[in-house]
Amino acid sequence: MDTLRGSHYAVLGLEPSATSDEVEEAYRRCEALYGEGALATYSLLEPEELRLARTRVDEAYRVLRDPERRRDYD
């Protein structure tokens, strides 16, 4: 969960030089990890922790997938 407290890049496990395709791929990986019913984290995180992780992943994705918002963020 510590990664989820970092930058949008850290949340998605990316470098700032990541391409838009890499952002999409990273988001899909995170969704599989933290998404509704994900078995990988079901027993490791409390429901509230999962909700916060999904919120953080979604926020990072919304910023990094949009070129203008990403430019402002950077």
Side-chain angles (χ1 to χ4, degrees):
M1 275 297 278
D2 287 340
T3 304
L4 293 175
R5 292 189 184 107
S7 72
H8 290 327
Y9 294 103
V11 167
L12 295 179
L14 295 169
E15 295 294 324
S17 60
T19 66
S20 59
D21 287 342
E22 290 170 325
V23 170
E24 292 291 332
E25 183 179 320
Y27 178 70
R28 285 192 298 274
R29 278 194 312 270
C30 288
E31 277 293 295
L33 185 61
Y34 299 113
E36 198 70 37
L39 294 177
T41 54
Y42 179 76
S43 63
L44 299 175
L45 299 174
E46 295 295 322
E48 179 63 12
E49 290 175 306
L50 276 173
R51 188 191 66 74
L52 290 172
R54 284 192 297 267
T55 298
R56 189 69 178 97
V57 165
D58 288 343
E59 176 187 354
Y61 175 69
R62 281 192 308 272
V63 170
L64 297 181
R65 74 179 174 137
D66 181 306
E68 188 173 319
R69 290 180 73 187
R70 184 175 179 174
R71 191 170 31 259
D72 291 343
Y73 176 77
D74 288 342

